Amino acid sequence: MRDRGHRAGRAARKRRQKQESVLQSVSLCHQPQYVRLMKFLHQRGFTSTLLQPALFTDTGRGLQALKSIKPGQLVISLPESCLLTTSTVLDSYLGQYIKSWKPRLSPLVALCVFLVCERHRGEASDWFPYIDVLPTTYTCPAYFTDDVMAVLPTSVRRRALEQREAVRELHSFNRDFFRSLQPIVSRPVDELLTYEALRWAWCSVNTRSVFMSHPSNSFLFGQDVYALAPFLDLLNHRPDVQVKASFNDTTRCYEIRSVSGTLRYQQAFINYGSHDSQRLMLEYGFVAPCNPNSVVYVDTDLLADVLGGDKSLDQKIKFLRENNFLHNLTVSSEGPSWRLMTALRLLSLPQTLYHHWKAVLLGQVVCEEREERSLQTAKTLCRRLLQDTHTALDKIAHLLRHCDQSVREQLDAVKSLRQEERCILGGCLEALEGTARHPEELLSRQPDTDAVS
């Protein structure tokens, strides 16, 4: 009887899992805003029978395959007329103001201003069906509160603060141009083109645009590679998916072709690039689960803190910096990177062996005693990073109990990053314990490819 009950429970569990797999997405195609979007795109020549907007339990909005997509099959072909580019902006009511403004604006600012002005125009805007489905807020660091910034890993926090400051400077530097637009907007410009409005537009372009090279013109300065792609930008990222994406000069369409295919009713994904989770967080505001590119970065300040008793540390750090060896020092769940271990081997040497420093950077083996010291330093670094991660997760848990929904979304994203970091550091410590028993494994490693910074 007990065994029969166990089998019945397992059968029920399988039925429930099957039901859950069917209910893991909800179609959005009948909602008014998506009906408007598809009508807008169809009027501009876009036809799509393969994909539909849907809400997924794991990723939120995305695109669902209505039919099985075969390897090599064209998934999306979005006509040029559907793309929002600087050409769109220059041909609009903003064109004369941008073309006559000195100093010239960047393509990014031109697109941001257009988005803000079109959002202000509401349903009177030709682009309203697209702007209406854009997120109203983002989980990029430019949106993070100070409390959320404080629980980021050190290396991410520094770059996140730089991102936030860059958006502030972009707003401040272009304020005179914004004021020149007063004749064409119905509200005071200072109330319309605020920092918050520009931040929303900046994140919209930064997180959702596809790469598309445009011919240079005399009205804008800097590289012009942005194109906002309605509908296509609903595709989410997955690290293990391969696609071919580019603008086809023959068909005049932006095309995405699947490499591996997608099963019917499953979510269709694309790949934003071989980015680690810190880069995904900074650029797109999310963390991808099971990301094989994920690493934890070792900051120079942490190195200096752990090795603070070394009187020649400043000279060694300077030497590493001069030889471009202080960036991309990382650990993965498989252990420290080749660059990190090489740096630690050099840091283990006394100043009297200065003449060997360069050779160590080129891969010269150090003695067993120095190798053991390097391994111990690597363990100490991991433990310190792990301690910081646990402290941050405790703070996040506390903040989650006393925050509103927008901050909760930011904290959830950072929590995912920190949880992944905890797993990586735990795996690295296990790998280092194994290396202590078999040090020849680490010595025989080949130089690794630099992690994406």
Side-chain angles (χ1 to χ4, degrees):
M1 290 292 291
R2 182 177 181 182
D3 185 55
R4 184 178 177 182
H6 176 71
R7 287 199 301 272
R10 185 166 56 194
R13 204 159 45 243
K14 285 185 176 180
R15 285 196 300 271
R16 187 167 61 250
Q17 288 170 351
K18 186 176 181 180
Q19 290 170 351
E20 288 172 353
S21 68
V22 173
L23 297 173
Q24 67 180 347
S25 63
V26 178
S27 173
L28 298 172
C29 63
H30 299 299
Q31 292 190 3
Q33 62 186 140
Y34 293 99
V35 172
R36 281 195 300 268
L37 175 66
M38 298 313 296
K39 182 179 178 181
F40 163 79
L41 294 173
H42 288 152
Q43 289 172 343
R44 291 168 176 257
F46 175 61
T47 57
S48 174
T49 57
L50 279 179
L51 303 171
Q52 71 171 3
L55 190 65
F56 296 88
T57 53
D58 53 348
T59 62
R61 289 194 312 180
L63 292 179
Q64 181 184 46
L66 293 172
K67 304 174 184 176
S68 289
I69 299 171
K70 299 175 182 178
Q73 187 173 354
L74 190 64
V75 179
I76 288 182
S77 181
L78 194 65
E80 188 174 20
S81 56
C82 297
L83 300 174
L84 200 169
T85 66
T86 51
S87 296
T88 312
V89 180
L90 291 172
D91 291 340
S92 74
Y93 55 90
L94 288 175
Q96 61 176 314
Y97 292 88
I98 294 173
K99 292 173 182 178
S100 62
W101 187 259
K102 297 291 185 292
R104 292 179 296 168
L105 301 180
S106 69
L108 177 60
V109 170
L111 285 168
C112 287
V113 172
F114 183 75
L115 284 177
V116 173
C117 289
E118 289 296 283
R119 185 170 68 161
H120 166 62
R121 295 179 69 200
E123 294 186 27
S125 163
D126 290 341
W127 290 89
F128 171 74
Y130 173 53
I131 291 172
D132 192 42
V133 300
L134 288 176
T136 57
T137 187
Y138 290 89
T139 51
C140 297
Y143 270 82
F144 285 179
T145 65
D146 289 341
D147 282 343
V148 178
M149 284 284 191
V151 291
L152 283 169
T154 303
S155 56
V156 187
R157 187 186 314 134
R158 182 175 59 251
R159 292 153 69 191
L161 288 168
E162 289 170 358
Q163 181 186 102
R164 190 164 70 178
E165 185 58 31
V167 179
R168 287 194 180 280
E169 288 180 1
L170 202 67
H171 177 260
S172 177
F173 183 78
N174 291 284
R175 194 168 289 167
D176 288 341
F177 170 71
F178 301 157
R179 288 171 178 157
S180 76
L181 302 177
Q182 188 60 70
I184 57 173
V185 295
S186 59
R187 288 175 58 190
V189 165
D190 287 344
E191 295 178 11
L192 175 65
L193 280 154
T194 61
Y195 162 72
E196 289 77 16
L198 189 74
R199 178 180 61 181
W200 167 81
W202 185 91
C203 287
S204 296
V205 176
N206 197 57
T207 63
R208 309 185 75 79
S209 62
V210 295
F211 180 90
M212 178 179 167
S213 184
H214 307 285
S216 59
N217 61 65
S218 58
F219 307 119
L220 301 170
F221 84 90
Q223 195 175 22
D224 190 353
V225 294
Y226 305 101
L228 285 163
F231 187 77
L232 184 152
D233 64 5
L234 292 173
L235 285 164
N236 288 314
H237 165 82
R238 206 171 81 180
D240 61 339
V241 166
Q242 288 183 303
V243 297
K244 294 180 180 178
S246 64
F247 184 77
N248 187 323
D249 289 319
T250 302
T251 63
R252 305 304 297 173
C253 293
Y254 194 93
E255 297 178 349
I256 293 182
R257 195 173 294 274
S258 175
V259 172
S260 53
T262 304
L263 294 175
R264 186 184 185 188
Y265 298 137
Q266 297 300 304
Q267 181 171 186
F269 290 94
I270 56 174
N271 192 311
Y272 297 175
S274 300
H275 303 317
D276 62 60
S277 291
Q278 292 194 7
R279 176 73 177 271
L280 289 174
M281 167 68 72
L282 286 163
E283 298 296 337
Y284 304 105
F286 70 89
V287 173
C290 305
N291 186 353
N293 305 301
S294 288
V295 292
V296 176
Y297 288 82
V298 176
D299 196 77
T300 306
D301 290 342
L302 179 58
L303 273 178
D305 191 28
V306 168
L307 298 166
D310 184 353
K311 294 181 180 179
S312 59
L313 180 62
D314 289 345
Q315 186 180 355
K316 293 174 186 175
I317 293 290
K318 180 182 177 184
F319 183 82
L320 288 169
R321 183 175 288 111
E322 289 172 349
N323 284 275
N324 199 29
F325 235 89
L326 278 182
H327 73 287
N328 289 342
L329 300 180
T330 64
V331 300
S332 72
S333 56
E334 296 177 355
S337 67
W338 179 85
R339 286 180 66 85
L340 176 58
M341 284 309 302
T342 301
L344 293 182
R345 288 183 185 112
L346 184 140
L347 291 166
S348 74
L349 296 176
Q351 192 172 15
T352 53
L353 294 179
Y354 176 81
H355 54 288
H356 287 299
W357 287 8
K358 188 71 173 181
V360 169
L361 291 190
L362 295 173
Q364 178 178 294
V365 176
V366 295
C367 67
E368 187 175 337
E369 178 190 352
R370 300 294 169 184
E371 184 66 19
E372 176 60 28
R373 183 176 297 183
S374 302
L375 288 171
Q376 289 302 323
T377 304
K379 290 180 187 178
T380 303
L381 290 169
C382 281
R383 292 189 186 107
R384 287 282 297 274
L385 287 165
L386 195 55
Q387 182 182 24
D388 176 67
T389 300
H390 284 303
T391 301
L393 284 168
D394 288 343
K395 289 180 180 177
I396 290 170
H398 173 74
L399 291 169
L400 283 169
R401 291 193 290 268
H402 309 88
C403 66
D404 59 30
Q405 183 58 33
S406 63
V407 176
R408 178 176 296 278
E409 291 172 357
Q410 297 172 19
L411 287 169
D412 284 340
V414 178
K415 180 181 176 181
S416 296
L417 182 66
R418 285 294 199 170
Q419 287 173 332
E420 179 189 76
E421 191 175 67
R422 181 176 60 190
C423 292
I424 291 172
L425 292 168
C428 185
L429 280 169
E430 287 184 16
L432 284 168
E433 292 296 337
T435 301
R437 294 187 291 271
H438 305 283
E440 68 280 356
E441 292 181 8
L442 200 58
L443 287 168
S444 63
R445 278 193 187 178
Q446 296 299 311
D448 49 20
T449 303
D450 280 357
V452 179
S453 61

